[in-house]
């Protein structure tokens, strides 16, 4: 009789555990609301351990950002990577990087915690957990444009660009089933927001 490898007999593929937790959380939030749902209930529904939950998420509120956090991380990483100085001004490269990351966001991955906020009762925790993510974006953008700007201007660009990204994402989510690609909404918010810095970015003071 052929021996079945232990990995094939017990447990789940590690790659599926995160999706199972996401699905379990979405079900429970719809059934009983976000505030009434505990991490223990989510792990029980998913059939995984509490330790497995914390392998993927630092807190229950991280489940609200499961789609957007990946794109935020991708953008922060892209902004921190070396870029050619022959591809336009840093402000132009900033816009291109932001839109490139937005274009990579899967069209079907609309954050349910936002689109179903009233039904799930997630609004308060979304508002509480958003500032840390916006700050991370603003700081990454500030660092990216800093070589060509004063500290004050770089910090201002960081804050304005992060706010524009958030506005674009919010418009994309609110657009409903007829929504277009995410980068279209981000571009609509980002371009006018950065337009006031164009002369500064070109060295005109």
């Amino acid at each position: 009789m052929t021996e079945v490898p232990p990995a094939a007999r017990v447990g789940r593929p590690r790659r599926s555990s995160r999706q199972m937790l996401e699905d379990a959380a979405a079900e429970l939030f719809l059934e009983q609301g976000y505030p009434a749902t505990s991490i223990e209930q989510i792990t029980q529904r998913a059939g995984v351990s509490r330790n497995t939950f914390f392998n993927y998420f630092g807190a229950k509120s991280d489940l609200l950002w499961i789609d957007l956090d990946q794109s935020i991380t991708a953008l922060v990483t892209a902004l921190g990577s070396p870029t050619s100085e022959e591809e336009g001004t840093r402000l132009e490269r900033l816009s291109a990087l932001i839109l490139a990351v937005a274009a990579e966001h899967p069209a079907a991955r609309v954050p349910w915690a936002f689109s179903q906020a009233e039904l799930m009762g997630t609004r308060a925790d979304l508002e509480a957990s958003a500032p840390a993510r916006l700050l991370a974006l603003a700081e990454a953008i500030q660092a990216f444009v800093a070589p060509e700007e004063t500290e004050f201007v770089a910090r201002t660009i960081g804050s304005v660009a992060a706010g524009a990204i958030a506005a674009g994402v919010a418009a994309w989510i609110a657009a409903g089933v007829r929504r277009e690609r995410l980068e279209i909404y981000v571009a609509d918010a980002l371009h006018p927001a950065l337009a006031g810095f164009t002369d500064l970015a070109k060295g005109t003071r």
Side-chain angles (χ1 to χ4, degrees), residues 120-131:
M120 292 183 171
T122 57
R123 186 169 303 281
D125 281 83
L126 282 171
E127 292 174 352
S129 54

Side-chain angles (χ1 to χ4, degrees), residues 49-64:
S49 69
R50 183 180 175 87
N51 286 341
T52 298
F53 178 92
F54 287 107
N55 283 338
Y56 297 104
F57 306 103
K60 188 177 78 166
S61 61
D62 288 346
L63 286 161
L64 306 180

Side-chain angles (χ1 to χ4, degrees), residues 111-188:
W112 39 258
F114 286 77
S115 61
Q116 303 291 330
E118 298 303 326
L119 184 60
M120 292 183 171
T122 57
R123 186 169 303 281
D125 281 83
L126 282 171
E127 292 174 352
S129 54
R133 289 165 170 83
L134 287 174
L135 180 60
L137 273 180
E139 290 179 342
I141 293 168
Q142 176 184 343
F144 182 83
V145 300
E148 292 184 0
E149 303 297 340
T150 65
E151 181 180 356
F152 175 77
V153 172
R155 184 181 298 113
T156 304
I157 291 173
S159 298
V160 170
I165 293 169
V169 171
W172 175 67
I173 294 170
V177 295
R178 295 183 179 275
R179 67 176 58 84
E180 298 180 82
R181 300 186 311 277
L182 174 59
E183 68 269 25
I184 294 174
Y185 297 88
V186 174
D188 285 346

